[in-house]
Amino acid sequence: MATGRTHRPATRSRGIPEATVARLPLYLRALTGLSERSVPTVSSEELAAAAGVNSAKLRKDFSYLGSYGTRGVGYDVEYLVYQISRELGLTQDWPVVIVGIGNLGAALANYGGFASRGFRVAALIDADPAMAGKPVAGMPVQHTDDLEKIISENGVSIGVIATPAGAAQQVCDRLVAAGVTSILNFAPTVLSVPEGVDVRKVDLSIELQILAFHEQRKAGEEAAVAEAAAAAGAVVPPVRAAGNGRKGPDGDMPAVMPA
Amino acid sequence: MATGRTHRPATRSRGIPEATVARLPLYLRALTGLSERSVPTVSSEELAAAAGVNSAKLRKDFSYLGSYGTRGVGYDVEYLVYQISRELGLTQDWPVVIVGIGNLGAALANYGGFASRGFRVAALIDADPAMAGKPVAGMPVQHTDDLEKIISENGVSIGVIATPAGAAQQVCDRLVAAGVTSILNFAPTVLSVPEGVDVRKVDLSIELQILAFHEQRKAGEEAAVAEAAAAAGAVVPPVRAAGNGRKGPDGDMPAVMPA
DNA sequence: TCTTGTGAAGCTCTTCACAGCA
DNA sequence: TGCTGTGAAGAGCTTCACAAGA
């Protein structure tokens, strides 16, 4: 998973486990696809396959919402779409602001997946005066000075931070002070927020690093020695102050640094 | 969590739990920050705060890597940076291709966080002939026709998919056939891949939906009734074929549809 | 004295397997 | 008969609390 919870004691909100909540959007997407193809009902097995999970998990997940299926038949697609949408709070309109209109911010502004789920981009905000007024995704970029005004006038409770890491905490503080209580953070930094504010983070580089970890494994344990040798040339390993007995699994730091 | 594992039986790779692997990049980022400020050593408490986790978890995580700390003192920053980098496979160079150079693909191509972690964007690939040759992030976009050639010539094992949902599976199949074994998927679709191929997904809209779920809770249980009423106007709820006894927690579908 | 490293306990999530129901 | 809904078992992860050791 590309993201991680922050500042929420993994406790169940009204009995629904966090892990289940995180999968509801997946089910919803699969169901929307079925709905568009006018499929009336679907079994847990079929829906699970479409969502990429196993059917026991799906049934367990749905059991937290209520008994929305019919034994021997399956689930009514339209009915389930409605129930999950309602559970996720998508039956209402969520105005969202995006702060930091660089490459990523602009991409987010143009991303179609938001509008189709009840999220409305209410404003684009950037600190660069040169950006002010410039249209992005058919919408003029506004200056950070007006952040508080924009938040309150639009009743925004969800903010997206796509600024450089250095500006993120400051932007976060201003968003929170202005009344935002949920933040999606794309900046590669840990945000600290008061109790009651939710932060979710997406870090593109972290995802790649996790892939690299597994990729390294696949390369084979028997090739590990050769890899360690190559690695010594790729980065400059730091010298340990005192070379005392470490018990790492293998590959202690090379004692001699390559010039 | 912005992301999710796919196709990997949450089993430990060489004894390191998945949850720990997912946090190593976080620790690495915090350590890199300390390293740049020339901090020589750090305690589990301090590092945990910088990474946004608690110290017991951090110590447990590190214990899977080996005994890299000094009791009564803490951890040597440089040494730990090296060990975690090595564990994640970041001491080697990872050529990466990005397929689908739309807004998001271009943002990824320009993203600085990759290069600093051993990831090198080896090629940008797009299906649109009009894009071919156009420079993005100082690099000419290449056509999908050459995908297989690009993969093999550059020894690419990690691919990033930033295409529309409809094209993702096809691109995925070609990447896998050409030798890619790790995929980071930004397209809002479930990819099916053969055994041995890792897929991680980042879905921006899913993150917002999870935030909306919690946001809805904060609005207060007492306001739930008013919300349900508003919801009835916001979306057109489907009519149940047979209105038999459902036992959802509350808010069964409205029986009367608004015109 | 101070901080790491780690068994053990507790908690959450997943999977199993089958009773319950249409 | 077929598929849902769910207790129970199992696996994995987090947190506690303290022994070990610099």
Side-chain angles (χ1 to χ4, degrees):
Chain A
M1 243 161 290
T3 212
R5 245 180 306 105
T6 312
H7 238 270
R8 176 164 285 265
T11 184
R12 295 182 184 179
S13 311
R14 203 242 240 114
I16 303 181
E18 269 299 307
T20 295
V21 172
R23 280 187 295 267
L24 291 182
L26 237 55
Y27 301 142
L28 185 56
R29 192 170 70 193
L31 284 164
T32 303
L34 294 172
S35 174
E36 279 164 5
R37 288 163 39 213
S38 301
V39 176
T41 60
V42 66
S43 71
S44 65
E45 202 72 49
E46 295 165 323
L47 183 54
V53 304
N54 77 52
S55 64
K57 198 186 294 190
L58 178 144
R59 287 199 304 278
K60 192 62 142 180
D61 283 343
F62 285 0
S63 78
Y64 294 114
L65 309 184
S67 296
Y68 293 152
T70 306
R71 290 168 205 249
V73 178
Y75 300 92
D76 181 299
V77 171
E78 297 302 316
Y79 186 71
L80 207 44
V81 164
Y82 172 76
Q83 290 297 349
I84 294 179
S85 296
R86 189 177 54 77
E87 198 64 55
L88 284 172
L90 305 181
T91 52
Q92 61 186 285
D93 179 69
W94 293 104
V96 168
V97 295
I98 301 175
V99 187
I101 312 301
N103 283 297
L104 181 58
L108 294 172
N110 279 291
Y111 181 56
F114 294 159
S116 65
R117 289 273 177 276
F119 299 101
R120 179 171 51 81
V121 177
L124 307 179
I125 303 176
D126 199 280
D128 183 0
M131 289 287 292
K134 275 179 62 176
V136 171
M139 183 170 243
V141 174
Q142 299 180 263
H143 191 264
T144 319
D145 286 349
D146 301 324
L147 188 145
E148 287 77 10
K149 184 163 157 259
I150 296 165
I151 300 290
S152 68
E153 283 184 359
N154 291 277
V156 173
S157 54
I158 301 180
V160 177
I161 297 179
T163 65
Q169 182 63 59
Q170 194 186 346
V171 166
C172 173
D173 292 343
R174 288 184 64 185
L175 287 174
V176 170
V180 166
T181 46
S182 286
I183 290 176
L184 182 52
N185 180 33
F186 286 89
T189 189
V190 175
L191 295 179
S192 73
V193 293
E195 185 77 12
V197 175
D198 272 318
V199 177
R200 294 188 66 84
K201 60 181 184 300
V202 177
D203 190 316
L204 313 173
S205 145
I206 284 180
E207 295 306 312
L208 278 185
Q209 292 175 59
I210 297 170
L211 283 176
F213 173 87
H214 295 299
E215 196 57 39
Q216 181 179 226
R217 290 298 142 92
K218 292 179 204 160
E221 262 77 42
E222 73 288 349
V225 181
E227 185 272 320
V235 297
V236 179
V239 180
R240 263 301 274 184
N244 45 14
R246 297 283 163 181
K247 60 170 205 202
D250 63 1
D252 210 357
M253 276 202 301
V256 183
M257 294 171 56
Chain B
M1 248 156 291
T3 211
R5 243 180 307 101
T6 313
H7 236 270
R8 176 165 284 265
T11 184
R12 296 182 184 179
S13 311
R14 203 244 239 113
I16 302 182
E18 268 300 308
T20 295
V21 172
R23 280 187 295 266
L24 291 182
L26 237 56
Y27 301 142
L28 185 55
R29 192 170 71 193
L31 284 164
T32 304
L34 294 172
S35 173
E36 279 164 5
R37 289 163 38 215
S38 301
V39 176
T41 60
V42 66
S43 71
S44 65
E45 202 73 48
E46 295 164 323
L47 184 54
V53 303
N54 77 51
S55 63
K57 198 186 293 188
L58 177 143
R59 287 200 301 278
K60 191 63 137 180
D61 284 341
F62 285 0
S63 79
Y64 294 114
L65 308 185
S67 297
Y68 293 152
T70 306
R71 291 170 203 245
V73 178
Y75 300 91
D76 180 299
V77 171
E78 297 302 316
Y79 186 72
L80 207 44
V81 165
Y82 172 76
Q83 289 298 347
I84 295 179
S85 296
R86 189 177 54 77
E87 197 65 52
L88 284 171
L90 305 181
T91 51
Q92 63 187 281
D93 180 70
W94 293 104
V96 168
V97 295
I98 301 175
V99 186
I101 313 300
N103 283 297
L104 181 58
L108 294 171
N110 280 291
Y111 181 55
F114 294 159
S116 65
R117 290 274 178 274
F119 299 101
R120 180 171 51 82
V121 178
L124 307 178
I125 303 176
D126 198 280
D128 181 1
M131 290 287 292
K134 274 180 59 176
V136 170
M139 184 170 242
V141 174
Q142 298 181 262
H143 192 266
T144 319
D145 286 349
D146 300 325
L147 188 146
E148 287 77 8
K149 183 163 158 261
I150 295 165
I151 300 290
S152 70
E153 284 185 357
N154 290 277
V156 173
S157 55
I158 301 179
V160 177
I161 297 179
T163 65
Q169 182 64 58
Q170 194 184 345
V171 166
C172 174
D173 292 343
R174 288 182 64 184
L175 287 174
V176 170
V180 166
T181 46
S182 286
I183 290 175
L184 181 53
N185 180 32
F186 286 88
T189 190
V190 175
L191 294 179
S192 74
V193 293
E195 185 76 10
V197 175
D198 272 319
V199 177
R200 293 188 66 84
K201 60 181 183 303
V202 177
D203 189 315
L204 312 172
S205 147
I206 283 181
E207 294 307 314
L208 278 185
Q209 291 175 59
I210 297 171
L211 284 175
F213 173 86
H214 294 298
E215 196 58 39
Q216 180 179 227
R217 290 301 142 94
K218 292 179 204 159
E221 262 78 41
E222 75 287 353
V225 181
E227 186 271 320
V235 297
V236 180
V239 180
R240 264 299 275 184
N244 45 14
R246 296 283 164 182
K247 58 167 206 203
D250 64 0
D252 211 356
M253 276 201 301
V256 182
M257 291 171 58

